[in-house]
């Protein structure tokens, strides 16, 4: 990680942050109670995600809990990489009347066929223009510098992927930025976890100044 040569890193305690995952998904089928999806990202059972559907200039979103998830297969990309394909079942959380009406309209406009389910009908659909899944992931910061940080994660990340991120300094000061995965290394010890090197990108001057003041204080 180049930032280790440009900026001195400091070990920190009590600093946490959030990372926004956004992943394209394919909807296999959907009902008023939930959906079955395919995605290239491993989903955590018992974790809440948000499904966002963009279609014909409209955008609707629903929060749902992952109730099952399995690795279906691996596909080779054009570059020869093996990309995992996961299937997961999402159970929608309580949907207010307005959202319910939007979901009924969406299903009615996209359904191809229906399948019997114990809790009603589940429909195969023509996919919307775009369907994505997003999730806020919390992490702990181990080391910090003006150019980047080292965090600990139970998930493995691909090099050079970029995420919208934030860290919370003392007194609830939030620093927001884009973070590039500069390295990802399996750490020692159990449970299995990874040390993830993050390079700060698109860091505003105001946030950079706040970060610099905090680093000086330690």
């Amino acid at each position: 990680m180049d930032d280790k040569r440009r900026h001195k890193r400091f070990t920190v305690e009590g600093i946490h942050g959030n990372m926004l995952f956004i992943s394209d998904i394919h909807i296999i089928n959907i009902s008023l109670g939930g959906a079955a999806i395919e995605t290239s990202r491993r989903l955590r059972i018992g974790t809440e995600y948000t499904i966002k559907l963009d279609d014909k200039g409209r955008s609707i979103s629903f929060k749902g809990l992952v109730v099952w998830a399995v690795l279906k297969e691996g596909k080779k990309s054009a570059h020869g990489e093996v990309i995992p394909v996961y299937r997961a079942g999402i159970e929608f959380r309580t949907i207010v009347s307005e959202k319910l009406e939007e979901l009924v309209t969406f299903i009615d406009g996209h359904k191809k066929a229906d399948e019997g389910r114990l809790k009603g009908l589940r429909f195969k659909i023509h996919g919307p223009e775009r369907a994505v899944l997003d999730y806020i992931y919390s992490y702990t910061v181990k080391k910090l510098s003006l150019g980047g940080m080292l965090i600990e994660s139970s998930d493995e990340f691909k090099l050079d992927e970029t995420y919208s991120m934030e860290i919370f300094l003392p007194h609830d000061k939030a620093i927001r930025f884009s973070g590039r995965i500069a390295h990802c290394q399996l750490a020692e010890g159990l449970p299995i976890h990874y040390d993830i090197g993050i390079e700060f990108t698109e860091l505003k001057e105001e946030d950079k100044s706040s970060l610099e003041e905090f680093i000086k204080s330690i």
Side-chain angles (χ1 to χ4, degrees):
M1 185 175 179
D2 292 339
D3 283 312
K4 289 194 290 185
R5 292 190 291 270
R6 293 201 303 267
H7 305 285
K8 184 176 179 179
R9 293 199 302 181
F10 298 87
T11 299
V12 293
E13 293 182 355
I15 304 299
H16 303 276
N18 292 325
M19 176 186 297
L20 176 62
F21 289 108
I22 299 178
S23 179
D24 288 314
I25 61 174
H26 168 66
I27 298 177
I28 301 170
N29 54 52
I30 190 169
S31 74
L32 297 182
I37 66 170
E38 282 189 354
T39 176
S40 61
R41 185 171 296 280
R42 178 171 62 89
L43 305 185
R44 300 178 179 183
I45 295 175
T47 298
E48 186 176 78
Y49 294 80
T50 300
I51 291 179
K52 294 183 178 179
L53 308 173
D54 293 321
D55 192 60
K56 299 176 183 178
R58 297 172 57 226
S59 181
I60 56 176
S61 62
F62 308 96
K63 292 185 181 297
L65 195 72
V66 176
V67 292
W68 60 266
V70 296
L71 176 63
K72 179 177 177 282
E73 61 183 341
K75 292 183 178 179
K76 278 194 175 182
S77 70
H79 303 290
E81 286 183 293
V82 176
I83 300 174
V85 178
Y86 295 93
R87 280 195 175 184
I90 307 289
E91 181 180 286
F92 293 148
R93 312 304 283 168
T94 303
I95 301 178
V96 298
S97 298
E98 181 181 346
K99 290 282 186 179
L100 186 62
E101 185 177 342
E102 289 181 339
L103 182 56
V104 170
T105 301
F106 172 80
I107 292 175
D108 191 52
H110 292 76
K111 64 185 179 182
K112 292 194 292 187
D114 59 79
E115 302 174 350
R117 284 291 187 273
L118 293 177
K119 294 184 178 181
L121 293 176
R122 182 162 291 190
F123 298 89
K124 292 181 180 179
I125 63 171
H126 299 283
E129 294 173 3
R130 192 183 186 201
V132 299
L133 195 74
D134 69 31
Y135 164 63
I136 301 295
Y137 174 76
S138 298
Y139 56 82
T140 299
V141 181
K142 298 174 70 174
K143 294 185 178 181
L144 185 63
S145 80
L146 281 177
M149 62 184 177
L150 182 70
I151 68 173
E152 184 177 298
S153 170
S154 57
D155 292 327
E156 186 176 9
F157 291 84
K158 291 182 180 180
L159 296 181
D160 293 323
E161 286 189 337
T162 300
Y163 296 91
S164 296
M165 305 179 73
E166 61 185 356
I167 56 176
F168 300 100
L169 301 180
H171 309 299
D172 296 322
K173 173 63 177 177
I175 304 294
R176 296 181 174 86
F177 54 92
S178 292
R180 182 183 71 88
I181 306 299
H183 76 261
C184 177
Q185 182 177 352
L186 182 64
E188 296 181 356
L190 295 174
I192 293 175
H193 61 285
Y194 299 85
D195 284 337
I196 313 294
I198 306 293
E199 177 188 4
F200 296 152
T201 61
E202 299 180 22
L203 181 64
K204 294 181 180 179
E205 284 300 321
E206 178 185 352
D207 288 333
K208 186 174 181 180
S209 296
S210 297
L211 182 60
E212 188 173 18
E213 289 179 12
F214 171 73
I215 289 176
K216 286 180 179 178
S217 73
I218 60 175

